[in-house]
């Protein structure tokens, strides 16, 4: 067998859907974990500087941010290992389906392993769907804050004093970032306009958008894993019923 034929056989054994899903998963997790970690740090600084005067008002949020950052470390490690396992499972099932390597055949144990990966990936997809929805909350908060600042800027151009717009506020307590007894808990008028002009605000906003996009890319990768693994498992079951084991 020539080198060309060997290359064709090797290329034919590559599970391209699983490979694409793995690359998407790694890219999405890199965005979600990296940008999310830094965005949480910036959020603590913004809340501490502009929305709370007493450390007791944001101690719960600070603890949540600290523990969630540790969760991010765990998520990055877990998805790195799980992506390798799914890619290896993709190579196995693709080789079994295409019968690339001589007498290599699927076994009952191999089909059970594939089914296990399908079930686990389904569970992860549903869990990550909730994470994807949860990651939209800070984006929604900062988007509303930016729009409120835009309103303040427009009104300030049409009136002699921006202090007249002190009734335009952004309340962090309404989004669960602070308890209801936190003081001041909100920013209004000139203070709100000053926040929106800081580089920290826009950096935090962009980081949350990137983390939200990363969560969406990871969710897409999990759905692609589901399609690939379910298809390969169905073909393996068909081959098993035909007596090709």
């Amino acid at each position: 067998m020539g080198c060309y034929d060997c290359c064709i056989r090797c290329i034919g054994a590559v599970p391209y859907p699983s490979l694409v899903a793995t690359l998407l998963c790694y890219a999405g997790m890199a965005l979600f974990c990296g940008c999310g970690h830094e965005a949480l740090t910036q959020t603590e600084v913004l809340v501490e500087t502009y929305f709370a005067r007493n450390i007791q008002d944001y101690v719960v949020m600070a603890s949540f941010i600290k523990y969630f950052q540790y969760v991010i470390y765990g998520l990055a490690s877990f998805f790195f290992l799980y992506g390798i396992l799914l890619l290896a499972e993709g190579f196995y099932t693709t080789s079994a389906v295409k019968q690339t390597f001589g007498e290599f055949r699927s076994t009952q144990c191999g089909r059970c392993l594939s089914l296990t990966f399908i079930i686990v990936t389904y569970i992860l997809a549903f869990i990550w769907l909730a994470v994807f929805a949860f990651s939209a909350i800070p984006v929604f908060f900062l988007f509303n804050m930016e729009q409120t600042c835009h309103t303040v800027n427009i009104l300030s151009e049409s009136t002699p004093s921006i202090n007249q717009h002190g009734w335009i506020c952004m309340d962090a307590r309404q989004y669960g970032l602070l308890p209801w007894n936190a003081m001041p808990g909100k920013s209004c008028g000139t203070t709100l306009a000053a926040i929106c002009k800081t580089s920290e605000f826009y950096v935090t906003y962009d980081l949350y958008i990137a983390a939200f996009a990363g969560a969406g890319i990871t969710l897409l990768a999990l759905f692609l894993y589901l399609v690939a693994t379910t298809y390969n498992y169905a073909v393996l079951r068909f081959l098993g019923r035909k007596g090709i084991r």
Side-chain angles (χ1 to χ4, degrees):
M1 182 178 296
C3 180
Y4 176 79
D5 294 332
C6 291
C7 291
I8 293 299
R9 293 181 63 183
C10 290
I11 292 175
V14 175
Y16 292 103
S18 296
L19 181 61
V20 172
T22 302
L23 295 177
L24 286 176
C25 182
Y26 286 167
M29 287 305 300
L31 276 175
F32 178 79
C33 294
C35 296
H37 184 278
E38 186 61 27
L40 289 172
T41 302
Q42 294 295 328
T43 300
E44 184 177 1
V45 174
L46 285 175
V47 172
E48 178 183 357
T49 305
Y50 298 104
F51 291 94
R53 295 178 184 149
N54 190 346
I55 189 174
Q56 298 299 325
D57 292 337
Y58 61 89
V59 65
V60 175
M61 187 200 69
S63 299
F64 173 80
I65 288 176
K66 177 182 177 181
Y67 290 124
F68 195 77
Q69 285 177 332
Y70 287 119
V71 171
I72 286 177
Y73 300 146
L75 284 174
S77 302
F78 172 78
F79 273 93
F80 176 77
L81 296 176
Y82 193 68
I84 292 177
L85 291 176
L86 285 178
L87 184 60
E89 192 270 344
F91 272 103
Y92 165 77
T93 53
T94 301
S95 300
V97 170
K98 295 183 178 181
Q99 302 178 15
T100 305
F101 301 107
E103 296 301 322
F104 183 83
R105 297 290 187 272
S106 65
T107 62
Q108 184 68 31
C109 180
R111 290 193 291 272
C112 290
L113 184 62
S114 297
L115 181 61
T116 302
F117 277 119
I118 292 174
I119 296 173
V120 173
T121 307
Y122 263 111
I123 296 173
L124 285 177
F126 279 110
I127 294 175
W128 200 256
L129 186 61
V131 174
F132 177 67
F134 177 78
S135 64
I137 295 177
V139 177
F140 178 70
F141 171 76
L142 293 175
F143 173 78
N144 285 342
M145 188 171 175
E146 183 185 40
Q147 293 300 310
T148 305
C149 290
H150 182 65
T151 302
V152 172
N153 292 331
I154 291 177
L155 293 177
S156 65
E157 294 175 358
S158 60
T159 54
S161 176
I162 193 174
N163 292 326
Q164 297 179 3
H165 312 300
W167 57 272
I168 302 178
C169 302
M170 196 67 191
D171 197 335
R173 296 169 296 187
Q174 293 180 342
Y175 296 86
L177 297 178
L178 294 172
W180 283 107
N181 59 352
M183 294 300 295
K186 61 182 179 180
S187 293
C188 306
T190 55
T191 304
L192 182 61
I195 296 174
C196 293
K197 292 179 181 179
T198 60
S199 60
E200 291 84 359
F201 170 78
Y202 285 103
V203 169
T204 305
Y205 191 17
D206 293 339
L207 286 172
Y208 273 121
I209 292 176
F212 177 70
I217 293 173
T218 305
L219 184 62
L220 177 63
L222 289 174
F223 283 134
L224 189 55
Y225 273 133
L226 284 175
V227 172
T229 54
T230 303
Y231 170 78
N232 287 333
Y233 175 74
V235 174
L236 289 178
R237 286 292 303 272
F238 175 77
L239 294 178
R241 291 177 181 178
K242 292 294 184 178
I244 305 176
R245 300 180 184 274

